[in-house]
Amino acid sequence: MIICVNCGQVNETAASRCLRCGASVFELPSYLGQPDSPPKAPVPSPPPKAPPYTPLRPTPTMDPFPTPPPVTRPVYLHYPPVTGGFVCPYCQTNLPPRLISRVSTAGWITLVVLLLFCWPLFWIGFLIREERCVCRVCGGRLG
């Protein structure tokens, strides 16, 4: 099997011409030029010299403690506005806030006082609760 040097087609060994491009298997490829002109050897160029090492000296304008780049907030998908037009002031999302219920500060104080003075009724402190609005995306307290 002979591979044509002009187009890369695989030909049979008995073929004198390429089946695809018709070039003689003994001809040079068309992109190499005429066979009369011998190829010129490339002249090697000297390798480039590396610049001499110069240590970096601080200048009066250089800050020895550069400030870090500003922190950017993540981008969240904006859903269609809901009734009431809620927008989170922190992450600008349109999702409605989540209401969570937690034991308030007064509830914890009541729990401790009742635990010290009337321990069978300490559980009443767990009933004093407060509701908080929290953003569903960033978790920021809204009120």
Side-chain angles (χ1 to χ4, degrees):
M1 299 188 85
I2 298 174
I3 298 174
C4 177
V5 293
N6 196 30
C7 67
Q9 171 72 29
V10 178
N11 298 301
E12 296 179 11
T13 55
S16 62
R17 294 214 169 263
C18 176
L19 298 175
R20 180 188 285 172
C21 66
S24 172
V25 293
F26 303 109
E27 292 177 0
L28 287 175
S30 60
Y31 58 84
L32 289 179
Q34 299 298 328
D36 298 338
S37 61
K40 295 181 180 178
V43 177
S45 61
K49 284 188 168 182
Y53 175 73
T54 56
L56 183 64
R57 295 187 184 122
T59 60
T61 59
M62 289 180 61
D63 187 9
F65 302 105
T67 57
V71 177
T72 59
R73 292 189 175 263
V75 177
Y76 296 104
L77 296 176
H78 291 283
Y79 295 95
V82 295
T83 307
F86 169 76
V87 175
C88 175
Y90 304 112
C91 66
Q92 309 302 322
T93 186
N94 295 336
L95 286 176
R98 183 179 353 173
L99 291 174
I100 58 172
S101 178
R102 293 188 174 175
V103 177
S104 68
T105 307
W108 287 110
I109 293 172
T110 305
L111 182 132
V112 171
V113 170
L114 288 176
L115 187 63
L116 293 175
F117 295 110
C118 187
W119 67 270
L121 299 176
F122 75 95
W123 54 271
I124 294 176
F126 287 121
L127 299 178
I128 304 173
R129 304 183 75 78
E130 67 179 355
E131 287 187 347
R132 291 183 180 177
C133 290
V134 177
C135 178
R136 291 179 186 264
V137 177
C138 67
R141 186 174 175 185
L142 301 173

